[in-house]
Amino acid sequence: MAYLAVTDVMGRKETREIQALEGRIKDGFFPNFLVICLMNICVFISVLGEPGIPGSPGKDGVNGEKGERGTNGTVEEKGNKGDKGERGPPGKLGPKGFIGSVGYKGQKGELGLQGQKGLKGDIGPIGPKGTKGEIGHPGRVGFPGPIGPIGHPGPKGNTGGIGPQGNPGVQGERGLKGDRGDKGNVGAPGVLPRSAFSVGLTANTKFPPPNRPIKFDKVLYNSLNDFNSATGKFTCKHPGVYYFTYHITVYSRNVRVALVKNGIKMLHTVDRYQSGEDQASGATILELQGGDEVWLQAHQGEAFNGLFADGDDDTTFSGFLLFSTADLLEPLLPATP
C-alpha cells in the first residue's frame, strides 16, 4: 500500500529505487520493521523535493507593552577617600582683574635714622644795617683790588728816545676820501680782449654722429683760433660774458640738439621733420671763465641728427665776447714816464 500511495507523487527514478528495495525485502535481506522505516523515509524524501528560494524578510512585529517599574536600588555606604593626586600643570593666565579700591591710611612708621648733611644753601638776602661797632684792630694787608677806571690824562712829558720798531699793527679803517690830485700824463691805450668765431657744416659733415661735439669744417670766421675744428669745441681765453647762436637746416630726419658747457647741457632745441626743409635755431648768453669749453651736439640717436648742409643750405654755429669780466686791461704799449 505504501508503494501504491507514493507512486502518484514520486518520479520514475524513485519508483525504481523502491522496487529495488522491495526486491531485497522479498529475499529476506531486511527485517520487516526496518523495511517499513526505510520506505517511510523514501516517501518523505520524495515528497519534500529540493529546497525553494528563500523568502523576503517579514515585517517587524508590534511593540510590546511597557514593563512595570523595577524596585529602587540600595545606596551603598560611602567609600574611603582616595589618595591625593599629582599636581596638574599650571593653567593659562587669567584676565587682568579690576583695580581695587584705595586702602586705608597706614599707621605712622617709626622714626628713621638721621639723614646725611645736606648741601649748602643759597646766600640769603642782605639783612638790615646794624649799629656801628667799635673800631677793631688793624687787619692784615689784603689782596690787590681790581684795576680802577682810567684817570684823566696827566701833563705831557718830555719826548723820549726812539724805541725799537714794533710789529705791524692791525690795518685800520679806511680813511676819508682825499683831495683830488693833479692830472697825470696820458697813458698808453688799453687793449680790449677780443673773441669771436663762426663755423658751419658741409655736405661731407651733414647728419653728424650723436652724443659728441659736432665738428664744423666750414670756417666763416676764426681768425683768433678760439674754435677748434678738430675737436668741435670753443675754448674761452678771456673771462667774460659771451653770446652763442646756432642756425640749423632740418631735412629728412628729426633734430634734437643741445648747447653744452663743460659737459652740462645749457640749451635744448627740438624740431620734428614734416616735409621739405625746416629751419631751427637757438641762442643764449653765458658767463665763462678761462679754460671753459662750449660746443654743440645732437643726442638721442641717429633719428634726431637731421642737421643738413649742401650748396644752398647751411647749418652754422657762432659765438663772440660781449664784455670782459677781468679786473685790469692789458696795456698796448708801456706807459710813458
Side-chain angles (χ1 to χ4, degrees):
M1 292 180 65
Y3 170 75
L4 296 176
V6 298
T7 53
D8 295 332
V9 295
M10 294 193 313
R12 294 180 179 180
K13 181 178 179 182
E14 288 79 6
T15 304
R16 289 196 298 268
E17 290 178 355
I18 295 174
Q19 290 175 355
L21 182 60
E22 186 180 25
R24 292 186 179 183
I25 294 172
K26 291 179 180 182
D27 295 338
F29 185 77
F30 295 105
N32 293 332
F33 176 75
L34 293 176
V35 170
I36 296 172
C37 291
L38 290 173
M39 292 183 69
N40 291 332
I41 291 172
C42 291
V43 173
F44 178 74
I45 292 174
S46 300
V47 175
L48 291 178
E50 297 179 358
I53 300 173
S56 57
K59 298 181 179 180
D60 295 337
V62 182
N63 294 334
E65 296 179 357
K66 186 175 181 181
E68 297 179 359
R69 183 174 182 178
T71 58
N72 295 330
T74 59
V75 179
E76 299 293 337
E77 296 181 359
K78 185 176 182 182
N80 296 329
K81 186 176 181 180
D83 298 334
K84 185 177 181 180
E86 297 180 358
R87 184 173 182 178
K92 297 182 179 179
L93 186 64
K96 184 177 180 181
F98 298 104
I99 299 175
S101 58
V102 180
Y104 297 104
K105 185 175 181 180
Q107 297 179 356
K108 185 175 181 181
E110 298 178 357
L111 184 64
L113 300 176
Q114 184 176 359
Q116 298 179 355
K117 186 176 181 181
L119 301 175
K120 186 176 181 181
D122 299 332
I123 300 175
I126 300 175
K129 185 176 181 180
T131 57
K132 185 176 181 179
E134 297 178 357
I135 297 174
H137 299 288
R140 298 179 181 180
V141 178
F143 296 103
I147 298 175
I150 299 174
H152 297 288
K156 184 176 181 181
N158 298 327
T159 303
I162 299 174
Q165 183 176 358
N167 298 325
V170 180
Q171 183 176 358
E173 297 179 359
R174 186 173 182 176
L176 300 176
K177 185 176 181 180
D179 298 332
R180 185 170 183 175
D182 297 333
K183 185 176 181 180
N185 298 325
V186 178
V191 179
L192 295 175
R194 296 175 299 169
S195 178
F197 74 93
S198 182
V199 292
L201 293 179
T202 63
N204 296 327
T205 55
K206 64 183 179 182
F207 306 136
N211 302 321
R212 65 187 66 180
I214 299 175
K215 297 180 181 180
F216 293 90
D217 57 346
K218 180 179 180 180
V219 178
L220 301 176
Y221 177 81
N222 194 28
S223 299
L224 302 175
N225 296 321
D226 290 340
F227 184 84
N228 189 337
S229 298
T231 62
K233 296 181 179 180
F234 164 80
T235 303
C236 175
K237 296 179 181 179
H238 306 287
V241 177
Y242 288 77
Y243 177 80
F244 294 95
T245 181
Y246 50 86
H247 170 80
I248 300 173
T249 299
V250 183
Y251 181 71
S252 77
R253 305 178 190 177
N254 300 327
V255 166
R256 183 183 292 271
V257 296
L259 183 69
V260 184
K261 170 188 172 184
N262 297 332
I264 302 174
K265 296 175 182 178
M266 308 298 293
L267 182 65
H268 297 266
T269 299
V270 179
D271 184 87
R272 298 196 177 272
Y273 177 73
Q274 302 293 332
S275 63
E277 294 178 353
D278 295 340
Q279 305 293 326
S281 62
T284 187
I285 296 176
L286 299 176
E287 182 176 1
L288 304 179
Q289 303 297 327
D292 287 347
E293 295 179 331
V294 178
W295 66 87
L296 195 68
Q297 73 177 34
H299 58 98
Q300 287 196 354
E302 294 184 355
F304 289 88
N305 69 333
L307 289 83
F308 183 75
D310 59 10
D312 299 323
D313 300 286
D314 291 296
T315 294
T316 60
F317 177 38
S318 304
F320 55 88
L321 175 65
L322 292 175
F323 59 87
S324 174
T325 55
D327 294 335
L328 298 176
L329 299 180
E330 298 178 358
L332 181 62
L333 295 172
T336 57

